[in-house]
Amino acid sequence: MKKSMLATIVAGGIAVLTYAAHSYASSDYFTYKIYGYYDSAGSQVGTYYRPCFGRMGKLTGEKTSVKRLIESGTCR
């Protein structure tokens, strides 16, 4: 009884860790991105920087419905 319960707990723990590691590795955790926001005339009116490692992003200027990726890269 104890061995089967322990085996079930260990298997569940391994499954959770595997899922977490996959989610962690496949996300944009190590990628930074810079987006530009543009108005109807095509002028850039805002910039959004999304840093690496799950930190909060920073918006400067205005946020519009037209968003274009300016730059992306990998943090080391």
Side-chain angles (χ1 to χ4, degrees), residues 22-35:
H22 176 70
S23 297
Y24 177 81
S26 65
S27 69
D28 286 336
Y29 190 78
F30 293 104
T31 304
Y32 72 88
K33 292 184 179 178
I34 301 172
Y35 293 96

Side-chain angles (χ1 to χ4, degrees), residues 8-44:
T8 304
I9 291 171
V10 169
I14 290 172
V16 167
L17 289 175
T18 302
Y19 175 77
H22 176 70
S23 297
Y24 177 81
S26 65
S27 69
D28 286 336
Y29 190 78
F30 293 104
T31 304
Y32 72 88
K33 292 184 179 178
I34 301 172
Y35 293 96
Y37 288 100
Y38 297 85
D39 63 8
S40 59
S43 299
Q44 185 173 347

Side-chain angles (χ1 to χ4, degrees), residues 34-73:
I34 301 172
Y35 293 96
Y37 288 100
Y38 297 85
D39 63 8
S40 59
S43 299
Q44 185 173 347
V45 294
T47 304
Y48 177 71
Y49 172 65
R50 193 192 59 73
C52 305
F53 311 123
R55 295 178 291 178
M56 267 184 100
K58 178 162 175 92
L59 175 67
T60 55
E62 294 180 40
K63 184 175 182 179
T64 64
S65 61
V66 181
K67 176 177 156 182
R68 295 186 195 133
L69 181 64
I70 296 173
E71 181 181 336
S72 68

